[in-house]
Amino acid sequence: MLILSVGCGTPTKHVDSAPVAETPPYEWVPIEDISIRWTAVPGVDLDSPEVLVARAFGDSELFYEITGQYESAYEGFPEAAPYLDNGGRTYPRTGTVNNHVFEVRPLPDRFGRPSYRVAYCTDETDTAIPTGDAWKANGASNRYTYILAITRTGWNTPVPRVDRAVRTRHPSWNVFEGWEIRLRTRWENDFFSGYDPEDRALLDYCDDEHPPSNGNFRYGDILDAPPAVQPSVPGWPQRVGGP
C-alpha cells in the first residue's frame, strides 16, 4: 500500500555532501617521433600573442592528424578549431617539420577587436612515413601554405604576459583562450581573395621563396633510417600573467 503524505511545513533544502570533483589540469602527451621548428621573416616576432596562437594551431593540427586523438593537441584546440575532424584516422610520420611565418598583418575588424592575418609555410620534406622496418620519404611537394584569421574575442581582456627567458617544449597555458581562429579554405573570403594579386602571391611564397628543408629525397624513396627529430625551436615562453 502506497501512502502519500502531504505537509504544509517549511520545506528543507537537500544538501549533497559529496565533494564536487575538480577538473584535472590538462596534461599534454608528447609525441616523441616528430618535432616542429618555427622560423620567421625579419620583423615577425614568434612570441607575439597572435603568432603564438598560430604556432599552437600548427603544432596541434599536426599532432592531431598523426594520432587521430585530440588529447595529443594543445589545450583548447578542439574548441578553437571545431571544423577540423579527420574521423579518428591517423597519418603517422617521423622526423622534423619546418614551419616559416612570412606574413603577420593587422585586419580591420568592425567591432574594434585586435585581429590579424597570419600566413606560414609548413614543410614536411624532412619527415618520412614509417612502413614496417623502413621509412618512406616525403618529397618536395609536401609543403603547404596556411593562411589564418586570428581575432581576439576577449578584446577587452589583456593577453597573458610571458617570460621569454624561460622556455618549455609545449605551452604551459591554454594559448587559444580568448581567440577565434579561421582557416582559409576557399578562393575568396573576408580576409583573403584569390582575385587580388597580392593575396594570390601568398599562395606562391612557399614554393618560390622557401626551398624545401631536405632536397635529397623524392616522395616514396625508401630510407634505411628515419629522418632526425631535431630539437623544437624556439620553444614556448613561460606564462607569468593571465587575463
Side-chain angles (χ1 to χ4, degrees):
M1 180 175 64
L2 175 64
I3 300 176
L4 179 62
S5 175
V6 180
C8 299
T10 302
T12 60
K13 181 179 181 181
H14 174 71
V15 178
D16 189 352
S17 60
V20 178
E22 294 184 359
T23 302
Y26 185 86
E27 294 187 8
W28 177 61
V29 179
I31 303 175
E32 303 297 339
D33 294 335
I34 200 80
S35 64
I36 304 176
R37 299 169 71 88
W38 287 87
T39 58
V41 296
V44 169
D45 180 3
L46 288 172
D47 289 334
S48 65
E50 63 277 4
V51 177
L52 286 176
V53 175
R55 288 175 51 199
F57 175 88
D59 288 8
S60 295
E61 189 206 26
L62 178 69
F63 298 147
Y64 171 59
E65 188 176 72
I66 289 173
T67 66
Q69 301 293 324
Y70 279 121
E71 291 77 9
S72 64
Y74 297 149
E75 180 182 6
F77 176 69
E79 293 77 24
Y83 44 84
L84 294 179
D85 181 8
N86 64 6
R89 294 184 297 271
T90 62
Y91 302 92
R93 42 222 193 261
T94 185
T96 304
V97 175
N98 293 279
N99 290 342
H100 183 69
V101 182
F102 61 90
E103 184 191 74
V104 178
R105 176 182 295 185
L107 288 177
D109 182 85
R110 63 192 180 96
F111 299 112
R113 302 174 300 180
S115 184
Y116 307 87
R117 184 173 73 181
V118 179
Y120 66 90
C121 309
T122 183
D123 176 4
E124 297 187 11
T125 61
D126 210 9
T127 68
I129 304 167
T131 57
D133 295 331
W135 294 265
K136 184 171 68 173
N138 280 316
S141 62
N142 279 274
R143 292 180 295 151
Y144 311 96
T145 301
Y146 281 79
I147 302 175
L148 307 176
I150 300 176
T151 302
R152 183 68 174 166
T153 55
W155 59 302
N156 284 325
T157 305
V159 297
R161 295 179 295 109
V162 297
D163 183 352
R164 296 170 182 247
V166 180
R167 298 280 168 171
T168 57
R169 185 177 176 186
H170 65 94
S172 59
W173 78 99
N174 183 352
V175 180
F176 299 107
E177 186 175 9
W179 294 92
E180 175 189 83
I181 302 174
R182 291 180 294 148
L183 174 64
R184 184 203 72 85
T185 57
R186 300 191 302 272
W187 186 244
E188 185 171 20
N189 54 25
D190 62 318
F191 64 94
F192 174 87
S193 173
Y195 302 103
D196 184 320
E198 291 188 6
D199 284 5
R200 192 167 61 247
L202 298 178
L203 301 178
D204 299 327
Y205 178 92
C206 298
D207 288 331
D208 297 342
E209 306 293 337
H210 194 62
S213 56
N214 185 352
N216 297 324
F217 303 115
R218 297 172 298 175
Y219 179 80
D221 284 351
I222 301 301
L223 311 178
D224 295 330
V229 180
Q230 303 289 346
S232 295
V233 291
W236 290 87
Q238 184 72 34
R239 175 179 174 173
V240 295

